[in-house]
Amino acid sequence: MRCSPVPRLLFSQLVSVSQDARSPTESYFMWLWHSRLYLYSAAALVFGLWFLLKKKSVSKDSSKEENDKADKAPKKNDRETKEVHVSGVKIFYGSQTGTAKGFANELSEEVKALGLPAEVIDMKDYDPDDQLADECISKSVCVFLVATYTDGQPTENAEWFCKWLEEASTDFRYGKTYLKGLRYAVFGLGNSVYVGHYNTVCKNVDKWLWMLSGRRIMTRGEGDCNVVKSLNGSIQADFLAWKVKFLNRLKTLAKGEKKNCSGKCKTEGSCKNKRKERQEEEKKTSPQNNSSEDDLVESSSDEDEFGLPDEKKTVLDVEDLGNIMNSIKKAKSKEESQRDGQMVKLSKLNGVQKIEDEGERREMITPALREALTKQGYKLIGSHSGVKLCRWTKSMLRGRGGCYKHTFYGIESHRCMETTPSLACANKCVFCWRHHTNPVGTEWRWKMDPAEKILEDALEKHQNMIRQFRGVPGVKPDRYEEGLAVKHCALSLVGEPIMYPEINNFIRLLHHHQISSFLVTNAQFPQEIRSLVPVTQLYVSVDASTQDSLKKIDRPLFKDFWPRFLDSLKALGEKKQRTVYRLTLVKSWNVEEMQAYSELIALGQPDFIEVKGVTYCGESSASSLTMANVPWHQEVVTFVQQLADMLPEYEIACEHEHSNCLLIAHTKFKVDGEWWTWIDYERFQELVQAYDESGGQQTFSALDYVAKTPSWALFGAQEQGFDPAETRFQRRNKSKDISGC
């Protein structure tokens, strides 16, 4: 059924009338209602824009504020670093020869270059009882550079400091925490040749500081004067390597060392697992990025020596220690097997041990030693030899007299070359003319130069030094020409010539050049004395007559120095050529041992005994010798007279007053009331040539090449040993110089 169109029309008309009847306000609200979706969207857009602008403005303000704080913060942090972490470095030194003092000054300059205060302190000027405890709260770092002296004792300037430290470490009144808070580092100066006493002082100082709860900031350093065993080639290089590590450690401390995590964090409880996870993650991402730890942790000597991998030189877990120890043991066993497998043979010439592998040996003369010896006037030859012009050579070139060898044995001093094929020595005598600048050792462990090269260079350098006197006022032309032709060689310059493995070859070369040989040894190598080929005259230094005084005066390196000394005297007595005991008198040290000297003379039965007053060579920190220890000539004469009275087969033969020296000779050299102590050098060359050509079968003795002693050289003569053919020269307003070879 369909609707009629009339009602529909009525409805539309009614609606139209109702709309026309609304007010404008009602129409506005109706429009808002119908447009509400668009209005909400517009409002959200406006609010979003406003929020973004506001956030950007706040960000600018906060960044500006942070920048202002950052500009002020560095100055404050730098000031706090200097004030709180490291206030300065105090460098204490115990030195006998000045080496440790030099290292202290060098380190001080390096520390100052880092912007930190540094103070160098002589241990003798520091009272540890009153001052050392203050270093625990001063935020300073204390460095101890200490040398080891005779018998493992501290140097003179460090004696009191070490004595106090030792007593305090065991004194209950100080307590075990007396030095808690003290940060320190120790570097020692020693010589590994002294077995049993190597760097004893530095080890003790390190131990005593630790016992008093001092905190070691890095591994103890040990410098070695023995270039053979020094890790870096010399004690200077050892100190340089240690110094670099110390300065790196100091930089870390100055920045503020991070404390080790205790395993408990305030916010998250135990962080042990997190740390482990972080380490594992770092290994995955950067397994070899350990450079940050290298400055904080120093490897031990074993690790350095056996070349452990880099990752094992940082902080180690306990479970890794087993692997490391196995690596070290394997490396050590490998090294020992290589060393045992290395062929060692005896020299055919004189029996000194030589290792065949010369390529790995080090040179005896280090750069620092070369500089020191060059300043003293030595002309160095190769890596272990030297030559120097004796003052008596210069004197006789001018016609002003010769040395005591000229008086006693008839050498021509202006034709004598003083040299040595080995600068190293097995003693450190208190009266050493060289102030212990030469190296020491008990066996040959250095690179070796051939004897031919040493002699060639020695003659060349000696002749060059003689040529410098050409045209010098007072030099006699005939003496100058004669001086260019060397006729005698005194192997007594410095060191122990008999240590040189090719010493026999060197002596043969001298004789081949018609040069006589005067060799001096310190009586510590008896086997080498026995195997020595004939020399013109062989000396043994007898500086004391008892074990205690010899140890005090010669300060030998060998532990069995006394048996070696006695055996050397016995070996000297077995020689058929001319032999000499050389006695050096040191007042208040060895002049009262008359009976003991006579017993030693009976043991070796030398042909001659030279007795000489010690020569004072100036003040030296390496020796306590003073002018008070130098005997007057008359005191030497009195000693010699008393000694000669105790020797039934010996008498006083000659005197050289200028050298403060006298000669006691065996009476077999006194023929028909006349002394024959001089040497027939041409006859000696004939005899030694026949000996060599016969392969040692045609022997000869000291009496086969003697010459008559002139009257002016005899004891009691008016000339007192001064050759009347020379012109005596007295220096005006200058102290008398009694030095000489």
Side-chain angles (χ1 to χ4, degrees), residues 479-498:
R479 296 278 178 89
Y480 170 79
E481 294 297 331
E482 291 174 349
L484 292 174
V486 177
K487 188 177 180 181
H488 315 286
C489 179
L491 294 167
S492 60
L493 177 62
V494 65
E496 183 63 84
I498 208 169

Side-chain angles (χ1 to χ4, degrees), residues 565-574 581 597-606:
F565 177 75
L566 297 178
D567 198 20
S568 295
L569 299 185
K570 293 177 183 178
L572 190 78
E574 299 169 7
Y581 275 15
Y597 275 120
S598 65
E599 294 174 358
L600 291 179
I601 293 170
L603 182 65
Q605 290 292 315

Side-chain angles (χ1 to χ4, degrees), residues 523-592:
Q524 290 295 298
F525 296 92
Q527 295 305 320
E528 285 69 31
I529 292 176
R530 288 189 171 91
S531 60
L532 194 67
V533 298
V535 296
T536 308
Q537 190 155 283
L538 178 60
Y539 289 78
V540 166
S541 294
V542 181
D543 302 324
S545 59
T546 65
Q547 182 173 351
D548 291 339
S549 58
L550 185 68
K551 182 178 182 180
K552 180 180 178 182
I553 293 175
D554 279 4
R555 296 186 293 186
L557 273 65
F558 284 107
K559 283 187 174 181
D560 58 340
F561 67 92
W562 186 246
R564 283 177 168 272
F565 177 75
L566 297 178
D567 198 20
S568 295
L569 299 185
K570 293 177 183 178
L572 190 78
E574 299 169 7
K575 311 300 287 188
K576 296 182 177 181
Q577 291 73 43
R578 295 168 66 108
T579 57
V580 183
Y581 275 15
R582 190 174 188 176
L583 276 62
T584 301
L585 296 187
V586 185
K587 189 189 293 186
S588 302
W589 288 45
N590 63 358
V591 295
E592 291 86 12

